[in-house]
Amino acid sequence: MPVDPYVLGALLANGGLTSSGVRITTPYTEVIDQIRLAVGQQGAVNSYDRLTYGVIGVMSVNPVLAGLRALGLHGLKSEHKFIPSQY
């Protein structure tokens, strides 16, 4: 699967997929901790403010962003998000 199932669910529920990056808004640090575990050493989670976080790649490629693109989800607004069939 191109994106960890937990990360994908969190992004479908509370994520921004239309920007050049990957953002999620949540008050729950447990969600952010789980995303950090899922992206491992290939990515990082940065805090933009008290509720908004960004998932970035530590190398030249952001693995979550690349996965969203492969799934056809990147660039979609909330009303067009969907759960890919392989999930």
Side-chain angles (χ1 to χ4, degrees):
M1 292 186 195
V3 178
D4 177 86
Y6 184 89
V7 174
L8 181 62
L11 291 172
L12 289 175
N14 298 306
L17 309 179
T18 58
S19 69
S20 60
V22 179
R23 293 186 180 224
I24 184 165
T25 302
T26 181
Y28 303 111
T29 57
E30 302 86 14
V31 172
I32 300 306
D33 292 341
Q34 192 65 33
I35 292 172
R36 280 191 174 107
L37 284 174
V39 298
Q41 295 181 6
Q42 294 180 333
V45 180
N46 290 338
S47 175
Y48 293 117
D49 60 40
R50 193 171 63 84
L51 299 175
T52 306
Y53 300 83
V55 181
I56 62 168
V58 293
M59 302 304 253
S60 60
V61 175
N62 179 335
V64 177
L65 182 59
L68 291 171
R69 286 182 175 143
L71 293 168
L73 287 166
H74 183 256
L76 298 182
K77 293 186 177 183
S78 295
E79 64 268 18
H80 296 113
K81 291 180 186 178
F82 62 93
I83 299 171
S85 60
Q86 64 257 50
Y87 289 84

